[in-house]
Amino acid sequence: MASVRAGNRIKKKGTRARMDIILKLKDELKVEKWQVEAAVKLIDEGNTIPFISRYRKEATGSLNDEVLRDLHERLTYLRNLEEKKEQVLKSIEEQGKLTEELQAKIVAAETMVVVEDLYRPYRPKRKTRASVAKEKGLDGLAQFILAQEATAPIEEEAARYVHEDEDAARTVATVEDAIQGAKDIIAEMISDEADYRIYIRNITTEEGKLTSVAKDEKAESVYEMYYQYEEPVKKVAGHRTLALNRGENEKFLVVKVEAPVERILQYLRTKVITKDNAVTSPILEDVIEDSYSRLIAPAIEREIRNDLTEKAEDGAISVFGRNLEQLLLQPPIAGKVVLGWDPAFRTGCKLAVVDPTGKVLDTKVIYPTAPTNEKKIRAAKETVKQLIQKYGVSLISVGNGTASRESEQVIVEMLGEIREPVQYVIVNEAGASVYSASKLATEEFPDFDVAQRSAVSIARRIQDPLAELVKIDPKAIGVGQYQHDMNQKRLSEALGGVVEDSVNKVGVDLNTASAPLLEYISGITKTLAKNIVAYREENGRFADRRQLLKVPKLGPKAFEQCAGFLRITGGTNPLDATSVHPESYEAAGKLMASLNCSPEEI
């Protein structure tokens, strides 16, 4: 009966803690409770962040995509935390060791780390020095020492535990072995005490220092500024954390967290040594030092380093995301025939002419940069002039990579020799080489070599940066720092969210968008994107958004999520060219009627 009551109590408290998630999100995000409840409900119903942000503003009080993503991330973490608490409570209860005080601490825990600390003494353990000592029957001696009431030398009590066993592993051969085993048990008990760990973690974070020294001071490297480095843990900047991590991984640095050891040991003494006992106090002094140096300190150092790294990654990912968004949302230069120029020295500059829709008209290779001669430079200029005249090129898009400045000089000279009003612009070519060697580029341009595809990408990214850059893994665009040192899953998810928000913020033309671009539209999977393109190729242009429902595997829910972000120009309904969602067409019609205007006038 007691066990059933305990189970019910845990369930109620777990439920109450889950309900508090709404209040916690409200406080963290500084928004109203009803806004959080509405957003959580919409997320749980399978709606995407862009859809909620754009088409459910009235429900959430106009929460933007950034707030909604933060809410979604924290919601996932807090729900996982509650699930972890339930598992821990169940495990401890099954062991018959769950007390009301422990249950209250677990229910009140706000981080996974604290829950793990509280669970540590009850977690099924792998083989340790303490578990081996317990198997030898030395738990009683450990408890005797902890009682701190011994009057005779501890060796006399320890002698009672010396014995031989059929299983050699259980044999206690000497008094010294018995005492050492008991000390190992006590050391692990101290290490497992959650309150001790929380105090030590907090004081190390507040008063500890992050230090680094060179593995070899004579070795030259980019990490020389960290060869003799120390800084308070709480003041370490994110970029320094990531630099230290990289230096450590590349075997140039030895990085450590220096804790206020004496203060920590004194704290543990006051907690563990509760009586002035001449027999047991010296033993407990040794045990405390062993427990801290062998068990607690390495674990706390790992946790603090991991926490610093996680915060540094959050900052770096945030900067990466902002830079990526600015790049993706550059205004397109539409309606121009563009000459893409991928500069190089030895292998020559690759040229690609694309029409205003992005269709490739011609490709060439010229050699206007070193090592070359005046004859080759003249030939290169003539080739470019011919392309300009033949296709009506009005803009030259030059990649900013190797030989960019030398190419620019040739272009400036050449433009001074012609009458056509041609302009040039230097563009960021980051990721062009990654795209040109990708499976997608191979499928798109099977007859082109890698260099030609790169020139096409450079031309197209000035016409429509968003449509072209979504073909490249966001990590390869190179607008962040230490990207290869970070948790790649977190980085990919964050950057994918930035691309998704950017694409949906702009919307795409349903009749021209490529499959890679469509994949980022709310509610559209990779399979659906391919199905949309296949349907378009087989049946011609979409004339109405409702035709999307004829696309294989695109059901009503996917249609609801994606329709407002897909535009149709020149379709049967002028509203299809706007961001008005089909579900609001009736309301939009009434509004237009009240204003005495027709859809065609929009």
Side-chain angles (χ1 to χ4, degrees), residues 364-573:
K364 297 286 183 184
V365 180
I366 57 176
Y367 298 87
T369 55
T372 190
N373 53 48
E374 193 60 37
K375 184 179 178 182
K376 284 189 175 181
I377 293 175
R378 282 199 304 273
K381 287 181 181 178
E382 284 304 313
T383 300
V384 176
K385 289 175 185 177
Q386 289 169 13
L387 291 173
I388 290 172
Q389 291 169 356
K390 182 177 180 180
Y391 298 106
V393 173
S394 57
L395 182 65
I396 300 175
S397 175
V398 188
N400 66 346
T402 304
S404 174
R405 291 305 171 195
E406 290 78 3
S407 295
E408 182 183 12
Q409 186 177 347
V410 172
I411 291 169
V412 170
E413 291 173 2
M414 185 270 303
L415 293 181
E417 298 169 5
I418 63 175
R419 293 181 178 180
E420 290 84 355
V422 180
Q423 298 171 302
Y424 78 93
V425 63
I426 307 291
V427 300
N428 186 341
E429 67 173 43
S433 58
V434 174
Y435 161 73
S436 59
S438 67
K439 180 182 177 184
L440 176 62
T442 305
E443 291 172 355
E444 195 171 4
F445 302 110
D447 300 327
F448 287 9
D449 64 23
V450 171
Q452 287 172 308
R453 294 172 194 154
S454 183
V456 173
S457 178
I458 289 170
R460 284 177 169 180
R461 65 176 58 191
I462 201 71
Q463 291 180 316
D464 191 345
L466 186 59
E468 193 62 25
L469 291 171
V470 294
K471 299 175 183 177
I472 304 166
D473 183 342
K475 291 181 290 185
I477 295 177
V479 288
Q481 290 184 312
Y482 300 101
Q483 61 208 59
H484 302 295
D485 302 321
M486 286 186 263
N487 181 309
Q488 295 302 295
K489 184 172 182 290
R490 287 182 64 214
L491 180 62
S492 294
E493 287 174 352
L495 297 184
V498 170
V499 178
E500 183 183 20
D501 288 341
S502 300
V503 171
N504 287 283
K505 192 175 290 181
V506 174
V508 304
D509 188 322
L510 180 56
N511 286 311
T512 61
S514 63
L517 184 57
L518 288 168
E519 284 174 31
Y520 284 104
I521 290 294
S522 168
I524 295 184
T525 62
K526 189 184 288 284
T527 300
L528 282 180
K530 289 180 179 178
N531 289 351
I532 289 171
V533 173
Y535 181 90
R536 192 172 69 202
E537 290 174 351
E538 186 177 335
N539 299 282
R541 287 173 52 86
F542 284 90
D544 186 282
R545 279 172 170 168
R546 291 283 170 189
Q547 280 181 259
L548 282 165
L549 290 168
K550 296 180 180 179
V551 173
K553 298 184 179 179
L554 200 155
K557 184 65 178 179
F559 177 79
E560 177 193 54
Q561 298 296 304
C562 73
F565 303 104
L566 298 171
R567 314 277 195 266
I568 299 175
T569 53
T572 55
N573 188 338

Side-chain angles (χ1 to χ4, degrees), residues 185-205:
I185 293 171
I186 298 169
E188 189 171 277
M189 290 170 68
I190 294 170
S191 168
D192 284 346
E193 183 60 49
D195 289 344
Y196 299 172
R197 279 189 172 251
I198 291 169
Y199 172 85
I200 294 168
R201 185 183 299 109
N202 289 342
I203 195 173
T204 304
T205 301

Side-chain angles (χ1 to χ4, degrees), residues 233-261:
V233 168
K234 63 181 180 181
K235 291 185 178 180
V236 177
H239 67 273
R240 281 199 284 276
T241 298
L242 296 173
L244 288 166
N245 288 353
R246 181 182 285 183
E248 186 177 44
N249 290 335
E250 293 179 6
K251 312 297 183 189
F252 285 104
L253 303 175
V254 177
V255 184
K256 291 183 179 179
V257 173
E258 287 188 1
V261 177

